[in-house]
Every structure is written in structure tokens, then in C-alpha cells.
Amino acid sequence: VLSSLLNAPDFAGSIVVMLLVLGFFPALIFAWVYEMTPEGLKREVDVDRSQSQTPETGKKLNVVIIVLLVIAIGGLVADRLIPESVVTEAPVLAESSETPVDNLSIAVLPFADLSPGGDQEYFSDGIAEEILNVLVRIEGLKVASRTTSWGFKGQESLGIPFIAEKMNVRHVLEGSVRKSGETVRITAQLIDADTDQHLWSETYDRTLTAESVFEVQDDIAQAIVAQLGIIMEGDAVVPSHAADTKNISAYELYLEAWQLFVDRRSLPRAIGLFEQAVATDPSFARAWAGLAAIYNIAPGWGIIDRDYSSLAREAAETAIRLSPELSLPYAVLALGSTQNWPVDFEHSLALFDEALARNPKNTTAYLWRMIVYLDLGYFDRAEQDARQCLEIDPAYEICRSFLALAALFSGDTARALEIHKTALRNGFYGNIDPFLYLFAATDKEHAALIALAANNAGRGINKATAYEYRALTDPSFDYTAEKSLIDPAYFRAGAAEPDWDETHPNFLFLYRQYDQIRSVDLPYWWFPYPLEFRDSPHRKRLMRESGLLEYWREHGFPQQCKPLGDDDFECVLPETPRTTRNLVN
């Protein structure tokens, strides 16, 4: 009983028990042979029975035992009848920290490629994603996002129960695809993660046609609905992509291009594949939508060999004409409209509403609308869209990265850094520029240099790092004076022209050529640094030319801004620490 209070080692209890056992027999013999008398301890045989104290001692012991029993019983009753708040506190906290698993929840894992050449991964992944896209449109069914599910690709050995627990779903669909010549075999199985038992499995052997592949996808979705006991209201049926295309070649080109687009890999190849898909089947609406989306992001990824803005608009309009119920083309048009200054923000946001009305789970639409809200200075709305995006797809890290910008621009720098660090830890390297200026201006120049060097190494322009670093940290840096030295630093080995467009706003902003900036792809006017730009007349000029004032007067100013007279405004940025040597006027 006392060992815990004495901090005794674990083996102390065993020693005590052994001593009690060894001492029991000598104590029993001693008590039998001797008796305590008023004259002291005597052998029992030498005690006069008429003078024995045993009866008197027995009565006293009886009283002591009765008192101890009453106290023990009282304590037991009190323990049973008086509740202790401490006992229930820990379980309540533990339960509240876990999200219960919805019985009507499922994750679709990437299907294994069992084709003879092992070169059809894009096709097997595409089939799985197509089934996921059908399931996500079923009312009442919670479906883990593609990004989350694909995060476990190649980790099937972890086991279905473990994977399902991490994704917080009850069911998992896994399968395989074997494509050989003119035939395809698609196998699918639905697993209950609670019991690790197969609820349903089926193998489909089909001639390789677009119609047969769509039929299999629909059959799998129908089987899942039936197995989970989902009741479709009225005459509703499981959604289908069956009307998209009847050309299997166009469909295969689309699947391969789409995988490259969502992974942001080999974008020039993806553009070519999408273009081949729509050339093979000009009526393939989803291929036109995918082509519009990749045209839309091409300039942001350094692909500037064509007028991608016009191409994106034309492809999106074609997709809508062929299939007005598609969501993605409206989001493309919405973001594309912000590239023409002054921006018609009202029109852009209306197009985003159209996109989300057609697909409320379109994370790309939430992401792009969030960017527009950041431009407008509506940081609370941008954060709301970011959180909606992450609720639908917790692994869509680009949304988390823009959530960090919303916090940074609103003045919550500590929270912005934590959010951005989480996105970086999760593997998304993006939206570095605003933090570069923050690091450089707050004596974290080493962090800024690492980010610059890493970014330039990926683009093959390592020699430009020294000039960019000086421009970032030295207020006296003179771009005009050193231009002849800077230009060669932007050449790749063997290239005829600089890798970086010197008229690009990022380039001009970095080298503080503010007067030459005519449009932007980041809302520099909300950057906390450089301080000299905050006080520059070109900050307000860019805000005016972008069309912000017209929208604010019609729909309300953000909380950090207010109108001044009939044709002016003022925006007060959050206070920021000023150092004695970085980016100070």
C-alpha cells in the first residue's frame, strides 16, 4: 500500500509478500506459545487461567474490529454514491477529439495496373478516379477526396483498416485493371474496414470501347450504392459519364492528360495530349474543359509560347456549348476574366457562382475564387473558401498555402507562418514570394536566401540568385546600373534568350521597377513588405488600374479600406516590424 508513496521499485511488493509468508509460521507459533500478562510476556503454560488477560484482550479487539468495519463500510458506500467529476473528465475530452466515422463513407484507392507491359498506370488511375467522381455526386455518401486517397498509393501493405482509419471512412474500394490489346479486365472489391471483410467483389471482362468502360464504372457505382443501402430519392439514378465520348482513343488520351494536369507534371506533354483528345473527338466536352484548365494555368508555370489566355477562353466556351452542366469551364472563365484590366470582378464572381452551383465540391473553383477574394482584400471570405476547399479535400495543400496568405495579408503573421510551414511539410512548395520579403525584412535573410537558391536551382538559373538576393535585401541596389550583368545570369546553358521574362511583374517587383508594372498575378498591394512599396504611389496606382475601387463602391470596401471623397480611397495595412537595415526607405 505504501510502496507508491515511497517511490519503491516494482519488485518491492514481491519482497514484502515473501517476507509475510516466511514470517507467518513463526508468528503463529509465537502467539500459541506465549501470552501477554500485566507482568510481561510469559509462556502460556505458566499462566494461571484465572489471571489470564485473554478474555479482556479479546473484548477490546472485538470493539476495534467493529469500529474498523464500520469505517470501511462507510467509505465503500460513499465511494459508490458520491460521483467524482475527475473520473468523467478524461473520457469526455478523448471522445470530443475524435471525429466519428460515418457508416455511409468510402475511399476509392488507385487501381493497380496489371497490364502485361506495366505501362497503363494512367489508365488504371483514371478508371479509379472516374468511379470516385461518380460516387462523389451521390447525395448522402461521404467520399474521401482523390488527393487524400492517392496519398496511400503504393502503401497497400499498411492494411485496409489502417488506411480507412487515417481517412476516417468506413468502406474502401480497391481494384485492378488489366488492359491487353482490344480487351480490358477490371476487378473491383468493396471492403468493410471495421471487419476487414469483403462486402462485394466483381470482375468485368470487356472489349475495350468507351461504352464498355463507362458501363463498368456505372455498374460498380450501382453495386456500391446497393451494398451500402443508399436509397435514391424519387426517380433519381446514379450519375454517369456515359455521354462523354464514344471514342476510346480520345478517352485514353484524356485520362493520361488529366493525371498529368492534377499532379502538375509534364504540363507541355499534358497540353499536347488534351489537344490530341479534342482533335480525335471534337464533341468530347470534358476533354475541352481539361484543355481549358491547363491553358489557364500554363503561364503561371512558365509556359508562355502562346496566348494561353485566349486559348483557355475559347476551350472553356466550347466545353460549355457541348455540355452546359459542366462546372470546370465556368471556373476557367472566371479566373481568366481577372487577367484583363480593369477587372470586371462582379462578372468573375458570378461565373464562380455558376461553377459551384453545378458542382458544390469543385475544389478548383473554391481555390480560384479565393485568389480573387485576396485581390479584393476580402480576407475573411478568402479564408472561408480555403477552409471549404480543405474540408472537401484535406490534402489539397495549395488551398492551405493560400490560407496562409489570407492570414499574412490580414496581419496575423504568426498564424500565417504556421499554416505555410504545414503546407511545406506536406510537400507543397508555392506562394514563396510574400514570405521572401517578410524574411528579408525581419532579419531572417538566411531563410530568404535558401528559398531563392532552391527556386532558381529548379529553373536552372542559379547565377541569378546573387543578384536577386541583393535586390531583396539591399535598398541601395541599382538595377539599371547592373542590368548588363544581370541579363546573362538569367540565361540557361545553351539558351538564346533569358529564361525569365523581364517584363513579368514578379521580375519587375523584385528589382523594384514599380513604374513599369502594368498588371500583376499576385496582389502586391497587400504584401506587408517591402516597406518602400507600401509608401509608393505605384501601389495605389495598381489598385486603381485593377478595378478594385469600382467594385468596392458598388459592393462595399474591405475592413482595412475606406472611401475618401468621390474618387479616392485609403487602405491602412497592419503594423509591421521595421528593421534598421532591410527594405527601409
Side-chain angles (χ1 to χ4, degrees):
V1 171
L2 297 176
S3 62
S4 61
L5 297 177
L6 297 174
N7 292 321
D10 294 340
F11 58 81
S14 301
I15 295 175
V16 170
V17 172
M18 290 175 62
L19 291 174
L20 288 174
V21 171
L22 292 174
F24 173 72
F25 295 103
L28 183 63
I29 294 170
F30 188 86
W32 184 266
V33 174
Y34 294 94
E35 181 176 336
M36 182 63 71
T37 68
E39 290 80 18
L41 191 66
K42 293 183 178 180
R43 292 178 61 187
E44 197 272 339
V45 294
D46 298 333
V47 176
D48 184 352
R49 295 291 83 189
S50 63
Q51 301 297 319
S52 176
Q53 299 295 312
T54 301
E56 184 71 21
T57 303
K59 291 179 182 179
K60 293 179 180 178
L61 285 174
N62 287 342
V63 172
V64 172
I65 290 170
I66 291 171
V67 171
L68 290 176
L69 284 173
V70 170
I71 293 173
I73 293 172
L76 181 63
V77 171
D79 182 64
R80 290 288 187 268
L81 297 181
I82 300 175
E84 295 186 30
S85 58
V86 177
V87 175
T88 59
E89 183 177 352
V92 169
L93 291 174
E95 291 175 5
S96 64
S97 63
E98 297 180 0
T99 304
V101 177
D102 192 332
N103 286 332
L104 293 181
S105 58
I106 188 171
V108 180
L109 296 182
F111 281 19
D113 172 25
L114 301 184
S115 301
D119 56 352
Q120 300 295 311
E121 183 179 4
Y122 74 88
F123 189 80
S124 58
D125 282 356
I127 295 297
E129 186 176 357
E130 293 281 85
I131 295 170
L132 185 152
N133 290 336
V134 172
L135 295 176
V136 80
R137 295 160 62 193
I138 297 175
E139 191 69 29
L141 181 61
K142 176 187 174 185
V143 183
S145 70
R146 176 198 186 276
T147 315
T148 304
S149 297
W150 261 242
F152 290 94
K153 187 173 183 177
Q155 303 183 55
E156 293 78 7
S157 60
L158 294 173
I160 294 300
F162 177 85
I163 292 173
E165 179 185 358
K166 292 301 180 184
M167 290 190 284
N168 199 38
V169 296
R170 172 70 183 272
H171 304 93
V172 172
L173 180 75
E174 63 176 4
S176 63
V177 176
R178 178 183 176 87
K179 187 159 77 76
S180 179
E182 300 300 317
T183 63
V184 62
R185 167 174 288 185
I186 300 175
T187 300
Q189 47 195 12
L190 181 66
I191 303 169
D192 185 337
D194 273 7
T195 62
D196 201 15
Q197 298 294 314
H198 288 71
L199 297 178
W200 166 86
S201 65
E202 188 67 64
T203 298
Y204 302 87
D205 290 305
R206 296 285 191 274
T207 301
L208 186 57
T209 65
E211 292 93 330
S212 65
V213 172
F214 287 135
E215 287 174 3
V216 171
Q217 294 169 8
D218 293 344
D219 287 348
I220 293 173
Q222 292 282 7
I224 292 171
V225 168
Q227 289 295 326
L228 300 187
I230 298 174
I231 306 299
M232 307 295 287
E233 293 184 3
D235 297 328
V237 296
V238 174
S240 172
H241 287 315
D244 279 343
T245 183
K246 297 184 183 302
N247 190 306
I248 188 62
S249 297
Y251 185 58
E252 289 191 65
L253 289 165
Y254 165 80
L255 289 181
E256 185 174 0
W258 184 257
Q259 295 303 314
L260 295 174
F261 167 70
V262 296
D263 293 337
R264 300 299 194 267
R265 294 184 293 111
S266 304
L267 294 185
R269 172 172 171 74
I271 291 173
L273 291 169
F274 273 126
E275 290 175 340
Q276 291 179 56
V278 298
T280 304
D281 182 2
S283 64
F284 190 1
R286 271 198 300 156
W288 281 106
L291 182 60
I294 201 167
Y295 280 160
N296 208 36
I297 68 168
W301 289 82
I303 305 172
I304 54 175
D305 58 310
R306 288 184 278 173
D307 182 4
Y308 285 101
S309 176
S310 298
L311 291 172
R313 183 176 63 255
E314 293 169 5
E317 290 172 348
T318 301
I320 292 173
R321 185 174 66 254
L322 292 169
S323 184
E325 73 277 5
L326 289 176
S327 171
L328 185 57
Y330 289 96
V332 170
L333 292 176
L335 187 63
S337 69
T338 64
Q339 297 171 4
N340 300 314
W341 282 28
V343 178
D344 187 346
F345 287 105
E346 186 169 3
H347 176 63
S348 175
L349 292 173
L351 287 170
F352 280 123
D353 290 343
E354 292 281 354
L356 291 169
R358 285 160 175 75
N359 181 7
K361 296 184 179 181
N362 185 343
T363 51
T364 298
Y366 283 113
L367 168 65
W368 289 348
R369 188 173 71 175
M370 177 191 358
I371 294 172
V372 174
Y373 280 147
L374 285 177
D375 289 348
L376 287 165
Y378 297 146
F379 306 134
D380 53 344
R381 300 182 196 178
E383 180 159 338
Q384 184 177 351
D385 272 0
R387 296 195 179 282
Q388 184 67 38
C389 171
L390 291 170
E391 182 178 339
I392 297 169
D393 189 349
Y396 200 15
E397 295 302 328
I398 189 171
C399 287
R400 197 181 317 278
S401 184
F402 275 99
L403 175 61
L405 292 192
L408 179 68
F409 295 163
S410 62
D412 195 345
T413 304
R415 186 167 68 96
L417 288 169
E418 284 302 314
I419 296 170
H420 198 248
K421 283 193 291 185
T422 300
L424 289 169
R425 280 195 296 266
N426 292 341
F428 181 79
Y429 180 80
N431 283 329
I432 301 296
D433 284 3
F435 291 97
L436 276 177
Y437 296 102
L438 171 67
F439 295 150
T442 55
D443 292 328
K444 296 181 178 63
E445 295 181 8
H446 194 190
L449 180 57
I450 290 172
L452 276 176
N455 187 50
N456 287 346
R459 292 164 45 213
I461 52 171
N462 309 61
K463 293 181 179 180
T465 302
Y467 296 100
E468 292 181 356
Y469 178 66
R470 286 174 50 209
L472 190 68
T473 58
D474 183 2
S476 64
F477 181 82
D478 189 341
Y479 170 77
T480 304
E482 300 196 37
K483 186 178 186 304
S484 60
L485 299 174
I486 292 171
D487 285 348
Y490 281 87
F491 280 83
R492 287 181 184 269
E497 296 180 358
D499 174 71
W500 190 254
D501 179 5
E502 292 186 343
T503 64
H504 194 284
N506 290 355
F507 183 97
L508 297 172
F509 192 76
L510 176 63
Y511 286 103
R512 297 196 292 279
Q513 305 296 295
Y514 305 136
D515 60 319
Q516 299 181 39
I517 300 176
R518 291 295 174 264
S519 65
V520 300
D521 56 1
L522 284 172
Y524 297 115
W525 42 80
W526 305 127
F527 278 29
Y529 299 99
L531 296 176
E532 66 180 79
F533 180 69
R534 292 176 59 153
D535 301 327
S536 167
H538 294 291
R539 172 173 170 259
K540 181 176 283 192
R541 173 183 66 80
L542 288 172
M543 296 174 78
R544 282 183 176 278
E545 292 175 357
S546 70
L548 294 180
L549 182 58
E550 288 77 4
Y551 186 84
W552 289 343
R553 288 196 177 279
E554 184 71 24
H555 299 278
F557 282 74
Q559 62 180 7
Q560 69 273 18
C561 300
K562 64 180 181 180
L564 295 178
D566 295 332
D567 191 37
D568 200 3
F569 65 95
E570 178 183 50
C571 293
V572 180
L573 297 185
E575 286 297 320
T576 53
R578 291 175 180 255
T579 65
T580 58
R581 59 191 182 88
N582 289 328
L583 300 181
V584 179
N585 289 332

